[in-house]
Amino acid sequence: EDQVTQSPEALRLQEGESSSLNCSYTVSGLRGLFWYRQDPGKGPEFLFTLYSAGEEKEKERLKATLTKKESFLHITAPKPEDSATYLCAVITSGTYKYIFGTGTRLKVLA
Amino acid sequence: EPEVTQTPSHQVTQMGQEVILRCVPISNHLYFYWYRQILGQKVEFLVSFYNNEISEKSEIFDDQFSVERPDGSNFTLKIRSTKLEDSAMYFCASRGTGFGEQYFGPGTRLTVT
């Protein structure tokens, strides 16, 4: 069965303290891996798409990387406004079904 | 900036009643989705819709659920006979040609009493 697992479940950082969030996946064939940000009571907001191992994408303080088994979302010098839940999702070969992980709740303290 | 809109923002209904959740996707998008998120749990895929037909659905999307694109702008999710366990946030999403760039609406919170 295709699965997406995110760790840690929750993370508290001081402002400026860099860290990484992990998304590991077990799928029959990866078509794409996606990162989203979700604020409380709102819909997920698209951040990145990664298609193949070795690929990297960057946006402001965020950088996403992909290997054959997992993806990392690196947060460099985070600010309080980066506090949110970060979701990872995959699409497997032959489907249009997005499988989401349970997310990492990030809290950045000023 | 174009956005996906959903109405209502909150719907309260009694068990056994029918509800229709409405969405207006981004105008030039071709692929449409419904997801649900039970409080504190992960986002779950319900159904994808393309070219006026369902392209894929999950095990959750049983005969109680249906989707429709009644005109060129709206996309609806109908739950025929609501159950207590249908209480959740329902998100509509749409995308153009890029797989990952789904744009989500703000959600409809459905409460079944």
Side-chain angles (χ1 to χ4, degrees), chain A:
Chain A
E1 186 185 339
D2 297 326
Q3 276 195 329
V4 177
T5 304
Q6 292 188 246
S7 61
E9 286 186 13
L11 182 62
R12 290 166 70 94
L13 300 173
Q14 292 294 322
E15 184 171 4
E17 181 188 0
S18 301
S19 188
S20 298
L21 314 182
N22 178 263
C23 170
S24 63
Y25 58 91
T26 307
V27 298
S28 50
L30 182 70
R31 198 184 241 184
L33 183 142
F34 319 100
W35 283 97
Y36 291 84
R37 168 191 171 127
Q38 185 175 29
D39 292 300
K42 296 191 176 180
E45 176 190 342
F46 171 76
L47 294 174
F48 302 112
T49 305
L50 301 165
Y51 290 108
S52 56
E55 193 174 355
E56 298 182 354
K57 294 274 178 74
E58 243 178 296
K59 179 181 177 180
E60 295 179 358
R61 295 177 292 283
L62 301 177
K63 179 179 176 181
T65 61
L66 181 65
T67 72
K68 288 186 178 178
K69 293 183 180 179
E70 59 193 347
S71 176
F72 292 94
L73 185 66
H74 306 279
I75 303 177
T76 303
K79 298 182 177 182
E81 53 262 42
D82 294 322
S83 297
T85 296
Y86 289 84
L87 305 175
C88 172
V90 301
I91 296 184
T92 60
S93 301
T95 84
Y96 293 98
K97 187 168 85 168
Y98 290 70
I99 304 169
F100 278 82
T102 50
T104 293
R105 292 189 313 278
L106 173 67
K107 178 78 173 173
V108 182
L109 305 170

Side-chain angles (χ1 to χ4, degrees), chain A residues 38 41-44, chain B residues 4-13 17-24 33-39 41-47 58 60-62 64-67 75-94 103-112:
Chain A
Q38 185 175 29
K42 296 191 176 180
Chain B
V4 176
T5 59
Q6 289 185 244
T7 55
S9 56
H10 190 192
Q11 173 99 43
V12 181
T13 189
Q17 295 296 305
E18 175 183 286
V19 294
I20 297 176
L21 310 183
R22 291 182 167 79
C23 168
V24 179
Y33 303 84
W34 283 102
Y35 293 87
R36 79 172 185 191
Q37 187 174 31
I38 296 170
L39 188 64
Q41 298 187 24
K42 64 180 179 180
V43 175
E44 297 177 290
F45 170 86
L46 292 177
V47 66
S58 73
I60 302 167
F61 194 90
D62 61 22
Q64 294 298 312
F65 291 88
S66 62
V67 290
F75 181 48
T76 62
L77 175 69
K78 182 193 289 187
I79 309 175
R80 265 181 265 283
S81 177
T82 50
K83 306 183 185 77
L84 293 176
E85 53 265 38
D86 293 326
S87 294
M89 185 75 100
Y90 288 81
F91 293 108
C92 172
S94 70
Y103 292 84
F104 282 75
T108 292
R109 181 172 300 285
L110 177 65
T111 302
V112 183

